Amino acid sequence: LLEGLAEIGRKGGRSLGGRIESLIPNLASQDEAIAAAVAANLGAWNAVDSGDSLIEILNDHSRSDFLRAAASTALGELGDLSLHKDMA
């Protein structure tokens, strides 16, 4: 379901009216596949409010490389260069 939602977000032309940010707490999921899918959605839907949370994941070396890569990709999709100053 999350993968399908991300695909719709990447196609553009639709809005969830900010509701996508309700996924942010799920970045903390112990199931890293779920956390990675959430990160993908936050990037695909351009959820700029998720930037700090995505940076936390990127800088947390206890998280898997798979999840950290998903967070990095999501940050790139956000396109907010001001977020890059916080990356380690």
Side-chain angles (χ1 to χ4, degrees):
L1 182 62
L2 287 171
E3 288 85 4
L5 186 60
E7 186 65 29
I8 292 167
R10 284 190 189 95
K11 288 181 182 177
R14 301 202 192 283
S15 173
L16 294 177
R19 291 183 295 253
I20 200 71
E21 280 86 3
S22 67
L23 291 176
I24 293 172
N26 293 296
L27 289 170
S29 175
Q30 294 303 309
D31 184 331
E32 298 222 331
I34 290 174
V38 167
N41 271 280
L42 294 169
W45 288 95
N46 199 28
V48 294
D49 290 344
S50 67
D52 290 339
S53 297
L54 292 167
I55 289 171
E56 284 180 27
I57 289 174
L58 187 62
N59 291 332
D60 183 351
H61 295 279
S62 71
R63 304 302 296 260
S64 71
D65 289 343
F66 171 72
L67 175 55
R68 293 176 62 231
S72 176
T73 299
L75 283 164
E77 290 176 319
L78 295 182
D80 183 351
L81 295 178
S82 69
L83 294 170
H84 295 192
K85 68 181 176 0
D86 296 324
M87 291 185 201

